[in-house]
Amino acid sequence: MSADDLNDNLIYDDKVTALSDDEAGADDLNDNLVYDGNVSGSDNESENESDSDSDDSKDNDKKRKHENDDDEDSDENEDSSNNENELEGDEDNDNSDNDTDEDSEEKKIKQEAEAKEREAKKKAKAKKKRDEMKKKKRMRLEKEQLEKENERKTKSDSEIFWSSIDSNNSVTQIEKDEINDQSFVNSSLTSEQRSLSNLSSFIKQVYPNWKKNLGKPPKESDYKGQPSVLVVTQSAIRAVEVIRSLNEFSKYCKVGKLFSKHMKVKEQVEYLSKSVVKIAVGTPNRLIKLAENESLDMNKLDLLVIDYTFKDSKNRNIFEIPEIRKDLLAFIKQHCINRIKDQTQKIALF
């Protein structure tokens, strides 16, 4: 190969190399341009995507806000609905409670009315029973009173007295002779029924000198503890009733209370020692005690009234209660017999 050919080849190679370098540079430039374009495009796309994402985010935020607003509205509507339902439920409950209260009140009123009706029927039944018992008692007393009145027509007071007080035949004939028909007031002087309402008038009829003898004595010291009229009854309760029935005599004299459960013996002794007692009411046992300690003096007694028509809750008169009958007979025999025998004292069965 010649030198010219060699130079030509070298020049050619240099050109080729230069061309290659230029092409390579151009390719690199193109690649760079392409890369830059891609990068720029990518950036634009990123920006676009970012803007799109931002818009989407905003849209999503708006959507979420709208949804939240819708949810809030829904919640508010639901709360409102619930509140309305609760109010309606409360109203229903209130109405139900009111209905229950009204039913309960009506039931209570009805029960009270029924209870009052039962109580009224019970009282009416009890009253009817009491009235029937009172009627039976009144009829029995009237029957007994009639029997006693008939007995008085067929028997003398002395026979009634001894048949009643000597039920076991313990009294001797001598004692009976001491208390005879002359010892009793004339029952024919009064035809009135023997009841407390007639006791005052009975005493006035069988004791003609009552006004003179029951008035204020000329010398009071001579009459302290010395009654002119003595009513003997079977119990303190009955004695109180007897005293009330003798109230019309209170303007003439004092009526002494000589029975237990009202005053102690000591108090009655003191009372008799200081008081002029023209009428006295007492029970047999207490009269014996007061007579034994001499605070009660029988020396001026004109009338001994025995309350024998009255009967206690067991339907017994003063002669039918053993211990009282015994005390009554003992009191008469020990403290009244002397004046009875000499006819200065009378016995009256009332």
Side-chain angles (χ1 to χ4, degrees), residues 226-337:
Q226 300 182 59
S228 297
V229 177
L230 177 61
V231 181
V232 185
T233 188
Q234 61 172 267
S235 67
I237 295 175
R238 175 64 174 178
V240 172
E241 295 174 350
V242 170
I243 289 172
R244 290 198 191 105
S245 71
L246 298 173
N247 186 54
E248 67 176 271
F249 288 113
S250 61
K251 60 183 177 181
Y252 299 101
C253 61
K254 291 181 180 180
V255 178
K257 304 172 184 179
L258 308 181
F259 47 87
S260 60
K261 297 183 181 179
H262 177 74
M263 295 173 67
K264 295 180 179 179
V265 174
K266 184 178 180 180
E267 294 173 338
Q268 288 171 335
V269 169
E270 184 178 357
Y271 168 74
L272 290 170
S273 66
K274 296 179 180 179
S275 305
V276 175
V277 181
K278 287 302 189 74
I279 299 178
V281 180
T283 50
N285 186 266
R286 181 55 59 92
L287 292 172
I288 290 174
K289 291 179 180 179
L290 294 172
E292 286 178 349
N293 62 29
E294 298 182 353
S295 58
L296 178 64
D297 189 347
M298 298 288 103
N299 288 326
K300 288 185 173 62
L301 186 65
D302 297 325
L303 181 64
L304 176 65
V305 180
I306 300 175
D307 179 30
Y308 103 103
T309 57
F310 170 76
K311 292 196 174 186
D312 64 6
S313 59
K314 295 182 180 180
N315 200 33
R316 301 175 299 176
N317 65 30
I318 193 170
F319 297 131
E320 294 169 336
I321 304 173
E323 60 274 18
I324 294 178
R325 179 179 67 241
K326 181 180 178 181
D327 288 340
L328 175 60
L329 182 59
F331 174 73
I332 293 173
K333 289 168 64 175
Q334 294 172 20
H335 304 286
C336 301
I337 194 65

Side-chain angles (χ1 to χ4, degrees), residues 38-70:
N38 288 335
V39 169
S40 176
S42 176
D43 290 339
N44 290 332
E45 288 178 0
S46 297
E47 289 177 0
N48 291 333
E49 287 178 0
S50 176
D51 291 338
S52 176
D53 291 340
S54 177
D55 292 338
D56 290 341
S57 177
K58 289 180 180 179
D59 291 338
N60 289 333
D61 289 341
K62 289 181 180 179
K63 186 176 181 181
R64 281 195 297 273
K65 183 177 181 182
H66 182 68
E67 288 177 353
N68 289 335
D69 291 340
D70 289 341

Side-chain angles (χ1 to χ4, degrees), residues 170-188:
S170 61
V171 180
T172 65
Q173 187 60 44
I174 296 175
E175 290 174 322
K176 288 183 179 180
D177 290 340
E178 291 176 341
I179 302 177
N180 52 45
D181 290 344
Q182 301 301 316
S183 304
F184 292 84
V185 298
N186 187 359
S187 298
S188 63

Side-chain angles (χ1 to χ4, degrees), residues 78 88 320:
E78 185 176 353
E88 290 177 358
E320 294 169 336

